[in-house]
Amino acid sequence: MAGPRRSFAITSGHNMRTQVGIVGAGPAGLVLAHLLHLAGIESIVIEDKSRHYIEHRLRAGLLEQGSSELLIETGAGERMMRERMVHDGLYIKFKGELHRLDFRDLVGKSVMIYAQQELVKDLVAVRLGYGAPLHFEVANVALADLEGPRPKIRFAEKGEPREIECDYIAGCDGFHGISRSSVPADKITFFDRDYPFAWLGILAEAPPTKDELVYTHHERGFALLTMRSPTLSRLYLQCEKTEDIAHWSDERIWDELRLRTAGGEGWKLSEGPIVQKGITDMRSFAVEPMQYGRLFLAGDAAHIVPPTGAKGMNLAIADVRVLARALEAFYKAGRTDLLASYSRTCLRRVWKVQRFSWWMTSLLHRFDTENAFDRRRQLAEIDYLTSSRAGATTWAENYVGLPMEWD
Ligand code: FAD
Ligand code: DHB
């Protein structure tokens, strides 16, 4: 590998050069660009959607303590500090009764609610605020020369062909991006698991039913009550994989949510106008390694977890922390060891989070292939986890986010 060199985000005709080319302006790409900027490393971010689109795409909402601390420590968390909702625990409802898992008591940490699109807005504003390059609405993105010393990102902008020559490329373009598929098939291994159900998610103008999230195990299937603000609820229902959202009227959704979450003294589901609804697929997926030549895959480009447990965005942020540190060691000290161990370091966390997300999904959903014995077993496990401090602690420790491990 070539040693560190000064590089400039220069433009000559349609060509540019930078130190790190970043494909994708989701949480992974934007957090990476921010961390590199703070370390004095130049990058160019390209995104195939518009700024408006990425700033309004409804997705994740729960941040582990480590993710939020990183944003605050690096100066990107100002608005988040004002608007976030800090949760010291969560509720689990089963057999119609509400139980609470107290993270603060069990592991001394908390999580917080802050919508992914708000985080994206903050990070876009920070980047544009220091005048760093961020190109929206690019097309026909392709990667070239990944094995050589000067990998390239080619794309079209306003119909004109463009090329960025980089030292390194970060593939942060999500599950459907082009980075992962730019790796030759014999250099990458895929691991996956499908689930026989999906989630129907709604956003409703209704105050949250409870002060913290409610995960519900029910004979009719899983339900989750979460939130985006003191006046906005986000609710999810386990549904058929092939479900057509057109068959779910607002009335049917509320009926089903009421049925699944009913029970317990003083319980009343908070309801209001539904302002958005959609179906989310459930899958577990990972690739090994997360690197090929000078391309590093990060976030959903490298792995997907089912949403139960809210790990996807947090894992994306953890990956780019590892990558930013490795790039900093290279540019500041000429070290290539951390780049070489990037994939190994990330995958240790990835597989622990894969395990946890799969486990929480298996614990709380109804599987039609399973029988009454399995449902009794699920209930016994939830009972154990909510009544044993040892059981509750292992759940809480994973939920709030495992500590970062550096190689
Ligand atoms: P993305 O957010 O997908 O960003 C990739 C970016 O690359 C996108 O902006 C995309 O437009 C762009 N792109 C794609 N292709 C190209 C291309 N060819 N060229 C240039 N740009 C390209 N995670 C949590 O941690 N907590 C939660 O509470 C949570 N809840 C969720 C709820 C739902 C309903 C869903 C769907 C997901 C949830 N997740 C959650 C997962 C989380 O949203 C993702 O894991 C997260 O967005 C991953 O970030 P990323 O930057 O890796 O990928
Ligand atoms: C949210 C989503 C999740 O999958 C989860 O486990 C917790 C919260 C959310 O969208 O707020």
Side-chain angles (χ1 to χ4, degrees):
M1 266 185 207
R5 66 193 173 101
R6 266 186 71 74
S7 180
F8 303 90
I10 52 167
T11 308
S12 77
H14 292 310
N15 293 336
M16 294 172 274
R17 202 174 79 197
T18 192
Q19 291 176 308
V20 182
I22 301 176
V23 186
L30 290 169
V31 172
L32 177 64
H34 180 53
L35 296 179
L36 294 181
H37 176 80
L38 296 178
I41 300 166
E42 288 183 357
S43 65
I44 298 179
V45 183
I46 61 157
E47 163 62 48
D48 68 353
K49 298 284 193 301
S50 68
R51 179 176 178 182
H52 184 271
Y53 183 90
I54 66 160
E55 290 187 345
H56 294 87
R57 184 168 42 196
L58 196 58
R59 277 184 153 182
L62 190 124
L63 281 175
E64 295 174 357
Q65 184 164 316
S67 306
S68 59
E69 279 171 359
L70 175 78
L71 296 159
I72 293 163
E73 281 160 18
T74 58
E78 206 181 294
R79 186 165 68 100
M80 185 178 78
M81 289 273 277
R82 287 198 307 272
E83 297 180 11
R84 67 181 173 172
M85 302 167 90
V86 176
H87 290 181
D88 289 339
L90 59 75
Y91 295 100
I92 300 124
K93 194 162 198 182
F94 71 107
K95 292 185 180 165
E97 279 178 23
L98 209 56
H99 300 257
R100 185 163 180 269
L101 206 67
D102 187 330
F103 316 140
R104 190 131 292 282
D105 171 45
L106 292 163
V107 292
K109 287 190 182 173
S110 52
V111 295
M112 67 175 214
I113 291 288
Y114 189 64
Q116 178 168 328
Q117 73 272 19
E118 301 306 320
L119 183 68
V120 164
K121 273 182 207 157
D122 295 346
L123 290 163
V124 167
V126 164
R127 182 153 183 93
L128 297 177
Y130 45 61
L134 170 50
H135 300 248
F136 291 107
E137 298 181 67
V138 305
N140 306 330
V141 180
L143 308 184
D145 301 339
L146 296 174
E147 308 83 358
R150 300 280 174 265
K152 316 216 170 34
I153 306 175
R154 299 196 175 113
F155 57 100
E157 191 168 32
K158 298 191 178 91
E160 296 290 330
R162 311 269 275 173
E163 181 177 289
I164 311 173
E165 187 188 279
C166 316
D167 295 342
Y168 294 101
I169 296 176
C172 302
D173 48 353
F175 185 66
H176 301 287
I178 51 86
S179 295
R180 190 178 61 248
S181 51
S182 306
V183 179
D186 61 338
K187 301 288 185 208
I188 197 164
T189 307
F190 299 81
F191 301 84
D192 63 356
R193 163 156 302 203
D194 234 8
Y195 297 87
F197 40 73
W199 276 14
L200 189 162
I202 62 163
L203 192 67
E205 284 170 350
T209 298
K210 294 289 292 176
D211 53 336
E212 293 168 343
L213 273 55
V214 184
Y215 287 87
T216 310
H217 178 283
H218 193 273
E219 269 293 309
R220 298 178 66 88
F222 171 73
L224 169 61
L225 311 183
T226 173
M227 61 195 73
R228 287 295 176 267
S229 75
T231 55
L232 266 185
S233 285
R234 178 96 169 117
L235 305 101
Y236 299 104
L237 279 173
Q238 173 183 354
C239 65
E240 295 295 324
K241 211 174 170 50
T242 51
E243 201 72 74
D244 181 352
I245 193 75
H247 296 150
W248 285 82
S249 64
D250 293 5
E251 208 173 85
R252 183 176 172 206
I253 293 173
W254 287 118
D255 283 346
E256 192 61 37
L257 279 165
R258 260 181 248 124
L259 278 173
R260 292 192 197 180
T261 61
E265 212 176 303
W267 176 268
K268 189 166 186 327
L269 182 67
S270 169
E271 299 176 28
I274 295 178
V275 289
Q276 200 268 353
K277 52 181 152 177
I279 308 267
T280 301
D281 251 9
M282 308 277 283
R283 88 163 54 84
S284 300
F285 169 83
V287 297
E288 290 187 12
M290 289 168 56
Q291 177 199 359
Y292 172 66
R294 285 177 172 253
L295 169 68
F296 293 86
L297 299 173
D300 279 14
H303 39 68
I304 294 283
V305 290
T308 337
K311 291 291 170 205
M313 175 167 60
N314 292 294
L315 200 50
I317 293 174
D319 286 350
V320 297
R321 289 180 81 167
V322 177
L323 186 53
R325 181 171 175 266
L327 288 164
E328 192 174 348
F330 172 71
Y331 285 108
K332 292 207 171 135
R335 284 175 57 184
T336 55
D337 56 325
L338 296 184
L339 285 169
S341 60
Y342 166 75
S343 179
R344 192 177 68 230
T345 305
C346 288
L347 284 167
R348 284 182 68 192
R349 185 183 190 86
V350 166
W351 280 110
K352 285 182 198 135
V353 171
Q354 287 286 4
R355 181 207 71 82
F356 178 70
S357 304
W358 160 83
W359 171 80
M360 217 172 135
T361 302
S362 311
L363 182 72
L364 296 169
H365 289 74
R366 183 192 163 97
F367 288 74
D368 285 337
T369 47
E370 295 189 339
N371 63 17
F373 174 89
D374 296 296
R375 282 194 284 283
R376 291 281 192 286
R377 181 182 47 74
Q378 266 185 334
L379 288 168
E381 189 169 358
I382 302 170
D383 189 6
Y384 163 69
L385 290 162
T386 50
S387 57
S388 147
R389 190 168 177 93
T393 304
T394 176
W395 192 346
E397 184 185 31
N398 283 275
Y399 191 90
V400 301
L402 294 170
M404 290 294 293
E405 289 175 272
W406 308 100
D407 249 17

